[in-house]
Amino acid sequence: MTIVHTAPKKGRFAPSPSGRMHLGNLFTALMSWLSIRSQGGKWVLRIEDLDPQRSKYEYARQIEDDLQWLGLTWDEGGLDDKGPHGPYSQSRRTGIYSHALRRLQDAGLTYPCFCTRADILATQAPHISDGRIIYPGTCRPAHEPPFDTTPETPHRHATRLFVPDMDISFTDTLCGAQRVNLATHCGDFVLQRADGAWAYQLAVVVDDALMGITEVVRGNDLLTSTAQQLYLYRLLGYPAPTFTHLPLLCNAQGMRLSKRDRSLNLAELRSRHTPEEIIGSLAAIARLTPDNAPCRPADLIPLFSWSKITPAPTIRI
Ligand code: GLU
């Protein structure tokens, strides 16, 4: 008899503590929580405070308080680093990211980049208007990798990862089959910025892999980052999780909710509604229930199915 060990199911919520959560953040949290709870798995709370200018401890504390108030309990992570894979705040995981970067440097896949954002923007084709920056390869060595292990230089520089002209294919639970060419989508991308800050792409892959995350559920705005992340999974030899990108909630004017939108942030919502009312509204938005009758997250576990959730990129509420 062969005993097959399958990895325990693990999901995560990875908020950036740069403001009070809004209904859209909560929609992501609830869907991720329901998906993992309906499979009997564990849920991790990771604080993505890589950006020292925008992240505040107080916002992280508020996120925890809001999740607890709503009944979205986590098994691992949080500010008190519950569990074996801590620390669970990215600002305290620098040594872990350095180690991963070192592996990519030792493989000869990185090089120092001295370009400023303005230099890169100056080379962009005029039709690229969605905010994406495609690195034109200005600092890339002329020969194919392996490159010299990043040379010592007294000048401040970012570290970029070489990407080949290669398609990455994956299937998103909601959005279906995806195929992205890394060279035309982003080009060589940054792993560590010139000011020493770690790039989201590197940190998120290293953290999800080392924390044993088996499913990533997040907003549709990150669908296009997934190919870069899958490339890193491959280079670092980590098994990749599944990916589900949720529709973004938009206001009546069709604008995506943001942390600056006061009306639907948790401070406002908590002053006007019970947790059950808020969860009931989100359940109706997700089409898990026919009306927005108040309920608790746990009541929705038996009703949860990805097939009920629209694959549209946005939902107007
Ligand atoms: N920290 C990101 C955010 O708050 C989420 C990253 C992810 O889920 O991969 O938007």
Side-chain angles (χ1 to χ4, degrees):
M1 187 176 76
T2 320
I3 299 176
V4 180
H5 292 279
T6 47
K9 299 281 182 205
K10 228 188 209 191
R12 47 63 155 191
F13 181 51
S16 305
S18 57
R20 195 76 187 255
M21 286 199 292
H22 56 67
L23 205 61
N25 304 126
L26 215 52
F27 183 63
T28 302
L30 178 63
M31 292 304 113
S32 162
W33 188 92
L34 285 173
S35 173
I36 211 69
R37 292 289 184 239
S38 66
Q39 301 170 79
K42 301 247 186 273
W43 203 55
V44 176
L45 175 62
R46 183 172 67 237
I47 309 295
E48 299 216 323
D49 55 352
L50 280 181
D51 183 342
Q53 259 90 55
R54 297 178 61 221
S55 306
K56 288 204 172 56
Y57 178 84
E58 185 50 25
Y59 289 136
R61 219 194 46 72
Q62 270 298 347
I63 290 169
E64 290 200 340
D65 190 65
D66 289 336
L67 293 174
Q68 264 154 354
W69 183 76
L70 288 152
L72 294 171
T73 48
W74 57 97
D75 309 286
E76 215 182 292
L79 288 168
D80 62 357
D81 286 334
K82 182 162 77 169
H85 302 294
Y88 290 87
S89 296
Q90 290 187 323
S91 58
R92 289 185 291 118
R93 294 176 64 80
T94 286
I96 298 170
Y97 306 140
S98 296
H99 180 74
L101 178 64
R102 188 79 258 157
R103 287 178 56 205
L104 298 168
Q105 286 173 328
D106 289 347
L109 293 172
T110 67
Y111 59 88
C113 172
F114 302 91
C115 297
T116 62
R117 197 179 157 85
D119 294 337
I120 300 167
L121 285 175
T123 65
Q124 292 291 296
H127 63 273
I128 298 170
S129 55
D130 65 0
R132 230 171 349 119
I133 292 194
I134 302 172
Y135 185 61
T138 319
C139 293
R140 185 202 269 201
H143 62 88
E144 289 291 298
F147 305 136
D148 287 347
T149 311
T150 308
E152 287 303 321
T153 152
H155 303 293
R156 264 163 67 103
H157 62 84
T159 301
R160 280 189 189 270
L161 178 70
F162 166 84
V163 301
D165 180 5
M166 172 190 188
D167 284 352
I168 298 272
S169 301
F170 64 98
T171 303
D172 182 275
T173 316
L174 288 178
C175 309
Q178 310 288 317
R179 195 183 182 89
V180 176
N181 181 281
L182 288 178
T184 55
H185 174 73
C186 58
D188 299 346
F189 60 89
V190 170
L191 299 175
Q192 189 176 25
R193 289 192 336 210
D195 63 3
W198 295 101
Y200 156 71
Q201 308 292 5
L202 179 72
V204 77
V205 167
V206 169
D207 290 349
D208 282 338
L210 298 186
M211 292 175 187
I213 301 302
T214 59
E215 59 171 61
V216 168
V217 176
R218 59 189 177 192
N220 203 290
D221 51 329
L222 291 168
L223 179 64
T224 57
S225 286
T226 307
Q228 284 156 265
Q229 294 171 17
L230 283 168
Y231 183 54
L232 281 170
Y233 274 97
R234 196 177 297 183
L235 295 179
L236 292 166
Y238 298 140
T242 61
F243 289 94
T244 309
H245 289 88
L246 296 164
L248 301 177
L249 302 194
C250 292
N251 63 19
Q253 292 74 45
M255 305 277 289
R256 183 186 157 187
L257 301 186
S258 92
K259 285 180 179 154
R260 287 179 295 275
D261 263 330
R262 281 293 166 89
S263 60
L264 291 172
N265 87 10
L266 263 284
E268 272 296 311
L269 291 170
R270 279 179 75 158
S271 71
R272 288 186 276 120
H273 299 284
T274 64
E276 290 80 7
E277 284 169 353
I278 297 172
I279 297 293
S281 302
L282 288 171
I285 290 171
R287 298 197 301 217
L288 298 178
T289 53
D291 52 30
N292 49 9
C295 60
R296 287 164 306 163
D299 302 330
L300 298 170
I301 297 173
L303 304 177
F304 179 80
S305 160
W306 284 124
S307 64
K308 295 182 183 167
I309 304 186
T310 173
T314 54
I315 301 180
R316 212 179 264 228
I317 56 165

